[in-house]
Structures are given as C-alpha cells and as structure tokens.
Amino acid sequence: MMKGLVRTSLSLWCMALAIVTSAQTTKVSGRVTDGKTGETIPFASIAFVDSRIGASSDLDGNYVIDTYYATDSIRATSVGYVARSFAVKKDKVQVIDIVLQPNSFELAEVVIKPSEENPAFGILRRVIRNKPVNNREKLSAYQYDAYNKIEFDLNNITKEFTEKKLFKPFAFIFDNIDSTDAKPYLPIFMTESLSEVYYRQSPKKQREFIRGTKVSGIENESVSQFMGDMYQNVNIYDNFLVIFGKNFISPIADGGRGYYDYYLTDSAFVGKYWCYKLKFSPKRPQELAFNGEMWVSDTTYAVHRIEAGIASGANLNFVQGFWVKQQYDQVQNEVWMLTRDELVVDLNVIRDTGEKNKNAVQGFYGRRTATYKDFVINEVKPPEFYEGVDDVVIELDPLSLGADYWDQNRHVPLTAKENAIYHMVDTMKTIPRFRTYVDIVSTVVTGYYEKGKVELGPYFTTISYNPVEGMRFRAGGRTSNNFSTWVEFEGYTAYGLLDERFKFGLATRGFISKEPRILYKASYKHDIEQLGQSVNAFRNDNVLGSVFRRNPNTKLTDVEEWKASLEREWFHGFTNEVMVRYRTLQPLGALRYERLKFEPLPQLTNVGSIRTAEVSLNTRFAYGEKYVSGEFDRIAVGILKYPTLELHLAYGVPGALNSDYEYTKVVARSYKRWQLGALGWSRTTVEAGRIFGTLPYPLLAIHSGNETFYLDDASFNTMNFFEFISDRYVQFFGEHHFEGLFLNRIPLMRRLKWREVATFKAVAGDLSSKHYSELLLLPGMYSLYNGPFMEASAGIENILKVLRFDIIWRLRYNDHPRTAPWALRAKLYINF
C-alpha cells in the first residue's frame, strides 16, 4: 500500500512539474503610478513592443498580461505622460511597477513619409517570430480525436480509354467516373480510420490509439509504398517540409524571403478572426517551393488558413500536382490547433494513345482528408498511460466492423461516389479478367508469376552465364498467400551446360506469432556463389549481371549450406535474430585454396574444402521505424530521425560436424539519412568489424568489390572481387544528392531537370600475417598495407527520369593489376 501511495504521489508531482515547466506563458503584472504625485494612473495602455498583445490598467492602476505571445519588452503609454519601455524575461512570472512622468506638450513638425518596405514583410516577421508559440508542440500536453480518409483515383479517364477491349469485362466500373474535376477520375481505393491521439511534451511522447479502420480497394506492396508518403502530415511551422523524400521550403520558413516573393493582398474577417491575406510564389523556377496564399490572424499572427501547391516548374518526377489546404482554429485562448487537413497528389505516367507523336498522361489522384476535434489542452495523463514502445496501438472497437458505427462516428459523411467504392471494388475482385491483369503487373514488379497456390520465378534468373557453369538455366517457385499466410515454402534447381552439374535449394519460413512478430527460417542449398559481393549487387544468376560485366566471373565458390534462424521483434524497430549455419566451401574457376608447408621441404598443397559451423546473433535497432506490411515481407516508409544501428556477433564452433575453425566475429554498422533543407540530402554508413582467430581468406572480411558496369551503392565500384581482405577494419560510405541545386540555376539545363550527386567511400584496415599459415593469398589479393582504400565520384541523376551516370575516381592503390584510375558506371534510379 505504501509503495502504491508513493507511486501515486510521484505521478502527481511529475504531472504538476510538467505543467509548470512546459506551459511557457509570460505573465507580467504591476501598478502604474504618476512620477510626481505618486497617484495611480487608470486606463494606461501596457503592451508588448511590436505586438498587439496588451492590457489596460484598472481604476487602481493595476494591470496583468498573461500570454504565449510575449516579446522582449513592454511599453506603457497614457495621455499626458511620457511613454516608457521595460525589459521583460520571457516565459517567466514577474512584477514590473511602472512610473510615468508627466509630459509638457509642444507641437512639433509632422513629416509623413511612405514606407519603403514591402508591407507583407512586417507581417511575415511577426509570423516567424511567433512560430514557436503557435506550434502546438509548445503545449505541455494535448489530445484529440482524428478521422483520416485516404482515396486513390485513376484520373484522366477519356472515352477512348473506357472503350478499349482490355476493359470490356468490367466496363460497369466506369459508371462511377466523376467528371466534375479538371481530370475525370475513377475511385479505385479508399481507407478510413478513427483514432485518438495523445501528446506529452516532457518527456516527449506521442501515442495514437486506432479505434476503427475500414479498407476497400486494390492492396499490394507497390501501391503501399505511395501510401507511406501519403500518410505524412505537412506541418507548415517546420522550415522544411519533407514530401516524397524532397525538402520543400515552407512559406513561413525562417529564411523564406530568400526563396519566396510575398504580397499583402487583402485584410478581412475570416470567421471571427481579423486576418491578413498573404500570397506567395517561388523566386526561381525549378526550386522546391509552393505557390499559394495564407490568411494570418492579427494579434497572435498565427496561420488561420493556408492553401498551397507545388510550383509548376519544380524539379520533381511523376508528380503533376500537389495541393494542401489546412485550417487552424483557436480551440482555447491563444492555443491554435490544426482542425482540417486536405491533401491531393496527382501522380502521372505516360501511356501511348495509339496516335502518331501523341501521348496522353495517365495517372492517379491520391487524396487525404483529415479532421480533428474534441481537443483537450494541457491535461497531462499519468506517466503509465504513455508507457509502451509502440507509438501506434491498434485497439479496435468491436462495433467498428459495422456500418452503423461509421455513420455515427465518421467526422465527414461520405459522398454517394465514395459510398459506391466499397461495392464497386468488391465486385471487381470477382471478375477473372481483372485478376489476370493484376497478376501481370504483380509479375513485373515482384519477379514471380502467381498460379493458384504457387508462384513461379523469379523470371530474371531463368537464364544466365558464367565461365564456370557456361549457360545456366534455372527454374524455381514458392507457395503463394493462397496456400498460407503463416508458412511459405520455396525451392529451385539449376543446371550448367559447361560443368554439367545440377544445383538446388530448399527453404521455408513461417510465423510462430504475428503479434509480436516471431518468424522462423530454415534452408538448404548447394550452389555457386560470388564471395565478397554486396547485398545490393546483382545476383550471380541474374541475366543482367551476366551481360554487364567488366571482368570474367572466374572467382566463384561452390557452397553447400544448412541454415536455420529465429527472428523476434520486441517492438517496432528493434529486432533480434539467432542463427545457426553450417557451410562447406570449395574453390571454382581461377580461385584456389593453397597452403604452404615447410616439412620436409617448402611446398604448396591444395586444400579441397573449408567447413565451418557458426552460431550468430544479429540485432537491428531503428527507432521510430514504420512499415507497410505484406503477409511475410515489410517495406519501411518515412525518414527516421535517428540512425539505424546493427550489430552482428558470430562464433565459429570448432569440431561441430567436423568444423575446421574456431573464431569470433564482431561487426557494427550505423546508417542515417540526413535531410539538409535547400542543400539536398545525404546518407552515410559507418561500419567497423573485427575477427578473432586464425582463418583462411574466404572466412575473413572480403571487402565488397564490383566487376560490373552497373553502379552499386553498397560496394567499392573500382575495386575487384577479393582485391582487399582484412581481419579488422573501419569503413565509411557517404553520398550527397544536391537535387539540382546548381543545374537548376543554369537556364539551358533547367528544363532537363538533371540533378547532381557526389559520393565518397573509404575503408581502412589490417590483416595479421598469422592467417597466411591457413591459406595463402592468391595474386591480386592484398591487405590494406599502405593505408585506406578510397574512391570518389561525381554524377548526374534523373536523366530521362530513370538513369544515373557517375564518373568514379580510384584515389589509392592504382598500381594494382586489372584496375583503372577512373571508371564510368550507370544504374536505373527511379525517384520522385
């Protein structure tokens, strides 16, 4: 009982402290008196300088001002007295007694001069100055009910499009076309959600409880990637708004005058607030800025309403238009909250109309409408309410499964067209021809063709070539979601015409639990691999990897591997995986395993194979990471505030199943994407590793090279396979995307919408000579004996919207054979 009493007392104390320390109002009080007589002065005006916040003294000369919108001083005035100013400590409670001296009246010359400053700038300065207090994060706590509706529509539906034979089996859907918009559109997807959102400032925590969800439409992971961008909230009080991964300058950014032209066009009552109307437009075409207008409340200089759209010349792909409309209301004295948020995105691709030299734009509308109500301000809940690692908690109301629940709780009624979406999509899913079209698109995106309970593929590995196998043919498949959404089986077989050998693999994975996520995996394979290849590189049996090679693929390894693992997600973003693996490695092609023996005479002996048994623990921590999930795989969406951290620990078990080696491996990695405003964005990866034990070179750290002409972000593109090997190392990859920062300012280049990119990569490490006693390094294999390996590149991306070309300079170790001081690499890179 005593323990519970103590806990309750601490909770109440923390709540009180949070309210006291986080409310951040400035309270000034005092008395106004005559400097000669000492009498009080009633009806004197006391106001914050450069502000409309103020008060008048009462009959006894007393005044009180309590506000969020304080400036650094107050000014007192009264008829017949000399005005005086006094310094104020912001966010403090203070007493300032004011003494005014009588004024002797003398008429002086009055000179009226026109203002040379744009009148919009004065208002803008006050808006920027008051951003911290108008941003809802100033509050110690708040909560509200939220309603979100997201809709995807196929737009630009022409009569010729609806009459195509392709759509004849489900022509009924075109009865739902809405032609009232600039582009006729057909709704194809809609989702609704009702939730409760709670925020606490100190310590900072936000939680959302989903009470109801309703979904209808075409659901797959490729569409889900776009949905991830749609779920973001546009907060105009931030200096830069991250939209589709790009940094757009907010029209009320601190340095907004460097990017926008502003015009004061009107002033009027908007509802019950007297507001100023400011129009804004980008100073330069191609910059990521907005066209639009906003109504700013006088007195508080809070944004009451804003409508903005991406400028037509913005350097952005596939986005024909982006419009946002927001309304803020004063839900409590001096507390402005977002009450309605509307967002529309027009995504477009090009389709052939069949007419010569004529294309039509075919695309999608993405619409998000959010409304917020029932605000509760500065009422902090007990600390245990905010506990829990998940920011979004799904606690569905059982009644949310029924239509009556939505009719009663939906903030905004659905239109007749929106109501028809649910029925239309459910009907469309039953049409076989529609399912066929979906399968074709799914095959192109995933590489697998679904046939009932089986998916065949991936198709891009069906045929390939390497000097060891010759022409290689592969056939494989896996079970589909129609078989099970809890367990998956996969298998393949391959055959090489030159080595006349079959290779094969079998694998399974499945859930022990989906909440929390506990996933098991098990596999066996006997196949050919390229060691020292990055995870982003083409698969060894990918047909493109065979075509775009710069060196013959002769350093291959025959790998027989048994593997089993158990993965547990403790909370969103934090995962552990325990794995056991047994491998047998044999050299193929130009690769050899050679050991130097000195007894009775120095001689080279061939080692036929290497066997290892390994137990490992992998940990991944990505704080705040959000996913869009399929049945087994997930796609991370959004940009994380903090770095993603990974730790790999492995132990080689000697003697287990005739394992040859005992060792310990430790690898740590940190990844971060940095949004840098108008300068673009960067991503950095830092990795460090150490291997303890005496091992042959295939078991050491083989730094990732690339022997294709395809640009690989996760490898050294001028390094050969097996060129550098270490047992301890530190590695850095850095890449910066300028997003057209320079080319956008060159008139002849501006229309191309090309974008600049630069990279720098380096690895420093060492290799103990003790490892040479196990296997000798072959010619062309080296340690980092002369300092770090480095390469740098400069490139252009967004060429024809899909290509990137880099010129890469190899900065060190240019005396190695089969290397060049520079190289040209290219890749497909589709990005907004």
Side-chain angles (χ1 to χ4, degrees):
M1 183 175 178
M2 180 61 70
K3 187 181 294 185
L5 181 61
V6 171
R7 182 174 182 178
T8 302
S9 300
L10 286 173
S11 299
L12 293 173
W13 183 83
C14 290
M15 291 166 59
L17 181 63
I19 293 173
V20 170
T21 59
S22 301
Q24 296 182 348
T25 62
T26 301
K27 186 174 182 179
V28 183
S29 60
R31 176 175 290 184
V32 184
T33 57
D34 187 302
K36 283 189 175 181
T37 66
E39 296 179 354
T40 60
I41 303 176
F43 312 117
S45 295
I46 304 95
F48 284 97
V49 175
D50 196 21
S51 169
R52 291 181 180 271
I53 302 297
S56 297
S57 59
D58 60 17
L59 291 173
D60 296 322
N62 298 314
Y63 73 95
V64 178
I65 309 175
D66 189 358
T67 183
Y68 285 111
Y69 300 95
T71 62
D72 59 2
S73 58
I74 57 173
R75 182 176 176 84
T77 60
S78 185
V79 176
Y81 292 90
V82 178
R84 291 189 65 188
S85 295
F86 300 85
V88 171
K89 296 179 180 178
K90 282 184 164 184
D91 305 329
K92 302 290 184 183
V93 176
Q94 55 215 285
V95 176
I96 301 178
D97 290 324
I98 299 171
V99 178
L100 297 181
Q101 299 297 329
N103 190 7
S104 57
F105 290 96
E106 292 183 6
L107 294 177
E109 180 183 9
V110 177
V111 179
I112 301 176
K113 295 182 179 180
S115 173
E116 297 181 1
E117 184 184 48
N118 182 339
F121 290 166
I123 297 171
L124 182 66
R125 271 196 306 271
R126 293 175 175 86
V127 171
I128 293 173
R129 185 186 66 203
N130 286 345
K131 279 200 308 181
V133 293
N134 284 323
N135 196 338
R136 62 187 181 181
E137 293 189 0
K138 71 179 180 183
L139 302 171
S140 61
Y142 60 76
Q143 66 188 69
Y144 55 81
D145 291 344
Y147 168 73
N148 277 273
K149 178 179 65 180
I150 295 175
E151 178 184 325
F152 278 90
D153 312 318
L154 186 67
N155 68 26
N156 207 28
I157 306 294
T158 63
K159 183 178 180 181
E160 293 79 8
F161 182 79
T162 63
E163 293 176 350
K164 286 182 177 291
K165 291 183 178 180
L166 183 70
F167 304 112
K168 189 174 181 180
F170 36 90
F172 73 92
I173 68 173
F174 296 118
D175 294 337
N176 294 281
I177 290 177
D178 191 326
S179 58
T180 60
D181 200 79
K183 297 180 182 179
Y185 64 89
L186 173 68
I188 59 173
F189 171 92
M190 190 167 72
T191 178
E192 299 176 270
S193 70
L194 285 162
S195 61
E196 298 167 3
V197 178
Y198 298 85
Y199 170 85
R200 179 188 64 190
Q201 187 193 75
S202 181
K204 191 171 184 178
K205 182 70 174 181
Q206 181 165 326
R207 304 196 79 189
E208 180 176 13
F209 294 86
I210 307 284
R211 302 307 187 193
T213 60
K214 190 175 183 181
V215 180
S216 183
I218 305 166
E219 298 175 74
N220 61 55
E221 293 189 17
S222 60
V223 173
S224 296
Q225 295 180 63
F226 296 102
M227 283 182 59
D229 278 332
M230 285 291 296
Y231 277 120
Q232 62 193 336
N233 288 316
V234 177
N235 185 358
I236 60 166
Y237 285 100
D238 293 333
N239 285 328
F240 292 93
L241 314 178
V242 181
I243 302 170
F244 297 110
K246 309 297 182 184
N247 297 319
F248 283 79
I249 298 99
S250 169
I252 58 172
D254 293 347
R257 287 173 58 178
Y259 300 92
Y260 287 97
D261 291 320
Y262 296 91
Y263 308 94
L264 174 61
T265 60
D266 198 0
S267 60
F269 276 104
V270 179
K272 59 182 179 180
Y273 307 107
W274 182 260
C275 296
Y276 302 106
K277 183 180 180 182
L278 299 183
K279 284 195 172 184
F280 48 88
S281 59
K283 280 183 174 292
R284 293 170 290 274
Q286 312 302 123
E287 284 195 334
L288 299 180
F290 298 94
N291 273 317
E293 62 185 37
M294 57 183 165
W295 288 88
V296 177
S297 170
D298 84 337
T299 306
T300 64
Y301 291 95
V303 174
H304 178 41
R305 185 184 299 166
I306 183 169
E307 297 183 24
I310 292 176
S312 59
N315 192 339
L316 197 64
N317 294 330
F318 313 116
V319 179
Q320 188 76 7
F322 178 97
W323 302 272
V324 61
K325 181 178 179 180
Q326 294 184 332
Q327 179 164 324
Y328 296 79
D329 286 304
Q330 197 165 206
V331 299
Q332 188 173 298
N333 185 38
E334 296 190 347
V335 176
W336 289 82
M337 299 291 286
L338 179 65
T339 55
R340 186 176 180 89
D341 189 5
E342 298 178 35
L343 186 149
V344 178
V345 182
D346 187 359
L347 301 172
N348 288 283
V349 294
I350 302 297
R351 68 173 172 87
D352 189 2
T353 64
E355 300 179 38
K356 188 175 181 180
N357 298 325
K358 188 176 180 181
N359 286 331
V361 177
Q362 186 67 63
F364 295 88
Y365 281 136
R367 305 174 188 270
R368 176 181 182 269
T369 301
T371 57
Y372 312 99
K373 67 178 186 177
D374 297 338
F375 294 91
V376 178
I377 305 300
N378 288 338
E379 291 187 12
V380 183
K381 291 188 172 294
E384 56 268 19
F385 177 84
Y386 301 97
E387 292 176 357
V389 293
D390 291 327
D391 294 334
V392 179
V393 181
I394 299 177
E395 291 184 354
L396 297 183
D397 187 326
L399 298 177
S400 66
L401 300 177
D404 291 342
Y405 173 88
W406 291 95
D407 292 339
Q408 296 172 11
N409 293 280
R410 185 184 283 122
H411 293 191
V412 181
L414 295 183
T415 65
K417 292 290 185 183
E418 291 170 336
N419 269 312
I421 294 177
Y422 292 110
H423 174 72
M424 180 195 73
V425 174
D426 291 341
T427 304
M428 194 161 53
K429 287 179 177 179
T430 65
I431 301 174
R433 183 69 63 85
F434 174 77
R435 184 69 253 175
T436 300
Y437 297 154
V438 172
D439 288 344
I440 292 172
V441 174
S442 179
T443 300
V444 173
V445 173
T446 67
Y448 287 87
Y449 174 72
E450 183 177 342
K451 187 68 175 177
K453 296 183 178 182
V454 176
E455 295 179 354
L456 304 176
Y459 62 82
F460 48 80
T461 64
T462 302
I463 185 171
S464 58
Y465 174 83
N466 64 71
V468 174
E469 296 178 280
M471 294 298 296
R472 171 186 165 112
F473 298 91
R474 182 188 187 278
R478 64 188 182 189
T479 56
S480 69
N481 293 338
N482 291 327
F483 174 79
S484 175
T485 58
W486 280 82
V487 64
E488 178 186 82
F489 297 97
E490 183 176 5
Y492 75 91
T493 184
Y495 183 78
L497 296 182
L498 182 61
D499 66 353
E500 298 181 338
R501 285 182 50 210
F502 279 99
K503 299 89 182 173
F504 64 95
L506 298 169
T508 183
R509 61 176 175 170
F511 288 100
I512 298 173
S513 167
K514 290 191 175 183
E515 194 62 43
R517 182 182 173 94
I518 304 177
L519 185 70
Y520 69 84
K521 300 176 185 177
S523 65
Y524 169 81
K525 73 173 181 179
H526 193 175
D527 205 345
I528 290 175
E529 284 189 18
Q530 174 65 68
L531 301 184
Q533 184 170 260
S534 82
V535 294
N536 283 0
F538 282 131
R539 292 171 49 146
N540 193 51
D541 55 2
N542 189 314
V543 63
L544 296 178
S546 303
V547 173
F548 296 107
R549 295 200 61 81
R550 61 181 177 88
N551 285 325
N553 194 12
T554 59
K555 300 175 184 177
L556 298 174
T557 302
D558 181 282
V559 178
E560 183 179 15
E561 179 182 78
W562 300 81
K563 184 167 64 176
S565 67
L566 182 66
E567 176 186 304
R568 166 68 189 257
E569 182 179 61
W570 301 97
F571 55 86
H572 282 313
F574 185 70
T575 305
N576 283 132
E577 182 184 41
V578 178
M579 179 187 297
V580 293
R581 182 173 68 168
Y582 181 82
R583 292 199 304 169
T584 302
L585 309 179
Q586 294 179 305
L588 295 174
L591 212 58
R592 300 184 304 278
Y593 295 169
E594 294 180 338
R595 182 177 295 159
L596 181 61
K597 286 191 173 182
F598 292 93
E599 295 181 359
L601 295 174
Q603 59 179 335
L604 289 176
T605 61
N606 288 322
V607 177
S609 64
I610 297 171
R611 294 179 296 274
T612 63
E614 182 179 285
V615 179
S616 63
L617 172 64
N618 300 313
T619 301
R620 183 176 185 274
F621 181 50
Y623 182 75
E625 188 169 50
K626 300 292 189 298
Y627 305 99
V628 175
S629 297
E631 295 300 340
F632 292 94
D633 298 312
R634 304 187 298 183
I635 298 171
V637 294
I639 298 171
L640 299 183
K641 182 178 180 180
Y642 302 102
T644 297
L645 305 176
E646 297 177 0
L647 179 64
H648 171 73
L649 304 174
Y651 174 70
V653 185
L657 301 175
N658 297 317
S659 172
D660 297 323
Y661 296 99
E662 180 180 17
Y663 58 86
T664 301
K665 293 184 179 180
V666 181
V667 178
R669 183 183 299 110
S670 173
Y671 168 83
K672 179 74 173 77
R673 172 167 169 156
W674 310 85
Q675 297 296 127
L676 301 176
L679 298 179
W681 61 275
S682 295
R683 58 182 177 187
T684 57
T685 302
V686 179
E687 180 180 310
R690 179 69 189 268
I691 300 174
F692 302 90
T694 303
L695 297 175
Y697 69 80
L699 303 183
L700 297 170
I702 304 170
H703 299 296
S704 298
N706 180 17
E707 294 190 359
T708 71
F709 292 105
Y710 196 83
L711 182 68
D712 184 357
D713 296 335
S715 72
F716 293 95
N717 288 283
T718 58
M719 183 189 291
N720 294 323
F721 290 138
F722 287 97
E723 185 175 355
F724 291 101
I725 298 172
S726 302
D727 60 9
R728 51 195 180 275
Y729 68 94
V730 176
Q731 179 175 287
F732 172 81
F733 285 8
E735 182 176 81
H736 184 73
H737 297 254
F738 291 93
E739 301 286 33
L741 179 64
F742 306 110
L743 296 179
N744 283 347
R745 286 163 170 75
I746 303 174
L748 295 179
M749 303 294 294
R750 185 181 298 151
R751 296 184 62 183
L752 295 174
K753 295 189 176 182
W754 289 358
R755 304 167 186 166
E756 318 84 344
V757 60
T759 66
F760 176 77
K761 301 178 180 180
V763 57
D766 200 2
L767 180 64
S768 173
S769 60
K770 67 181 180 180
H771 302 293
Y772 301 151
S773 64
E774 293 300 325
L775 287 183
L776 293 178
L777 299 185
L778 299 181
M781 297 182 182
Y782 307 91
S783 67
L784 291 162
Y785 58 89
N786 194 29
F789 176 88
M790 296 185 292
E791 67 179 28
S793 71
I796 300 293
E797 60 185 357
N798 206 44
I799 299 172
L800 302 177
K801 297 186 178 181
V802 296
L803 290 175
R804 170 178 164 181
F805 284 94
D806 279 30
I807 297 177
I808 307 171
W809 290 271
R810 180 173 167 130
L811 304 178
R812 304 290 308 280
Y813 298 97
N814 289 323
D815 56 334
H816 287 186
R818 296 171 54 241
T819 64
W822 66 275
L824 181 65
R825 299 286 182 267
K827 68 178 291 187
L828 290 172
Y829 181 67
I830 300 175
N831 190 21
F832 285 107

